[in-house]
Amino acid sequence: MVCFADLNIININDKKRLQTIIETAAHLGYSTVAINHVLDFQQKEQGIANPISVAELFPSPPIVQGKSKPIKIMTRLTLIASDVSHYNQLRTAYPQNLPYDIIAVEPKTEKLFHVACMTLDIDLICIQGNSKLPFRITRPPVNGAIARGIYFELTYFPAINDFTLRRYTISNGICLMNVCKGKNVIVSSATEEFLGLRGPYDISNFGILFGLSEEDAKAAVSTNCRAVVLHGATRKTALGVIHTTRKVAASEGKDEGRPRKKNQD
């Protein structure tokens, strides 16, 4: 059975509103959500806060619609930055493992976009939807990010009520699709209110506007999100994962199906 996820529920100070958003996500059929703490280095200096306590927010998380298990609530940190030094501040504050399940970067310059794709220890790169991209998305860094298992995120909430933001969201998404061809893309809400959520099948249809195929659009709210979660778990717990497969020898393959000779005395 397909498990849907929304990995970008904005962390707001109103606990009751945040609970309502997550309850709505469970009702819409999302199995996993991530509460996103946004750290914008372009604004006044902000402290790097610890993630929200999921146990305090929901001692008993709501049950997912159509399933018998509760929704999984994760934590996420997104850095909105223009220079790699902003990321280094984060690593200085947490020299070991960051306490968040998912780490994302929204780069504001081409230089940081390239560094984020090629070297930063992150899980997601966010493509902004509230303005025109300030740089060109080129193939080499995107291919580098895909090779490293990093995913790109497009958000739909800015496009719901504002025509100008809708144009930016779709235009920026198409710019990404022209380069990545639908690989390693997730679609999230980035909502701050429960009315901003849409069902996973509606979002799959919305993904087609970016140029995603029907299969890729469905993966953008399901299997690709799961890959992001696994990438974050690997980043926190190990240096890598080794996957092994048994290789059949050529001679063994040729012998398959041949009648065996009887032993002669």
Side-chain angles (χ1 to χ4, degrees), residues 9-215:
I9 303 294
I10 301 298
N11 185 13
I12 53 180
N13 293 326
D14 191 328
K15 180 179 177 180
K16 189 170 182 60
R17 278 178 57 198
L18 190 56
Q19 289 174 332
T20 302
I21 294 172
I22 295 173
E23 288 170 349
T24 303
H27 179 73
L28 290 173
Y30 289 100
S31 297
T32 304
V33 294
I35 300 175
N36 184 19
H37 178 72
V38 179
L39 186 60
D40 191 348
F41 281 97
Q42 294 186 323
Q43 297 179 359
K44 293 181 179 180
E45 187 174 346
Q46 302 179 33
I48 302 173
N50 288 322
I52 189 171
S53 172
V54 175
E56 291 181 6
L57 179 66
F58 267 117
S60 180
I63 302 299
V64 178
Q65 179 75 17
K67 299 187 178 181
S68 58
K69 62 180 182 179
I71 192 170
K72 183 177 183 180
I73 305 173
M74 310 190 73
T75 60
R76 165 179 163 175
L77 176 67
T78 298
L79 304 179
I80 301 178
S82 57
D83 191 83
V84 71
S85 63
H86 298 149
Y87 175 81
N88 292 337
Q89 290 180 37
L90 180 68
R91 299 308 305 181
T92 300
Y94 295 98
Q96 300 299 321
N97 288 328
L98 291 165
Y100 290 86
D101 297 313
I102 299 170
I103 304 298
V105 169
E106 183 179 312
K108 293 296 185 180
T109 62
E110 185 173 2
K111 180 180 179 180
L112 183 58
F113 177 78
H114 188 278
V115 173
C117 289
M118 304 303 290
T119 61
L120 295 188
D121 189 16
I122 57 176
D123 309 304
L124 274 175
I125 296 174
C126 310
I127 304 300
Q128 66 187 42
N130 54 4
S131 63
K132 184 178 179 181
L133 274 176
F135 55 84
R136 284 183 64 246
I137 298 177
T138 55
R139 195 173 302 278
V142 169
N143 289 344
I146 292 173
R148 296 175 60 222
I150 295 174
Y151 281 70
F152 298 92
E153 179 189 55
L154 298 169
T155 55
Y156 64 83
F157 180 66
I160 290 179
N161 296 320
D162 190 291
F163 173 78
T164 302
L165 297 185
R166 186 181 308 134
R167 185 178 61 185
Y168 287 141
T169 299
I170 296 174
S171 175
N172 294 347
I174 291 174
C175 288
L176 175 65
M177 294 308 139
N178 289 338
V179 178
C180 74
K181 306 303 180 184
K183 293 181 180 178
N184 288 42
V185 174
I186 72 167
V187 180
S188 306
S189 65
T191 186
E192 299 179 9
E193 54 187 65
F194 75 94
L195 291 175
L197 283 173
R198 296 294 183 270
Y201 290 103
D202 293 332
I203 302 311
S204 296
N205 293 331
F206 184 73
I208 296 174
L209 294 177
F210 297 127
L212 287 168
S213 66
E214 185 176 347
E215 182 180 355

Side-chain angles (χ1 to χ4, degrees), residues 248-261:
V248 179
S251 59
E252 184 179 345
K254 292 179 181 178
D255 289 341
E256 286 184 359
R258 265 187 207 171
R260 295 182 179 274
K261 293 183 179 179

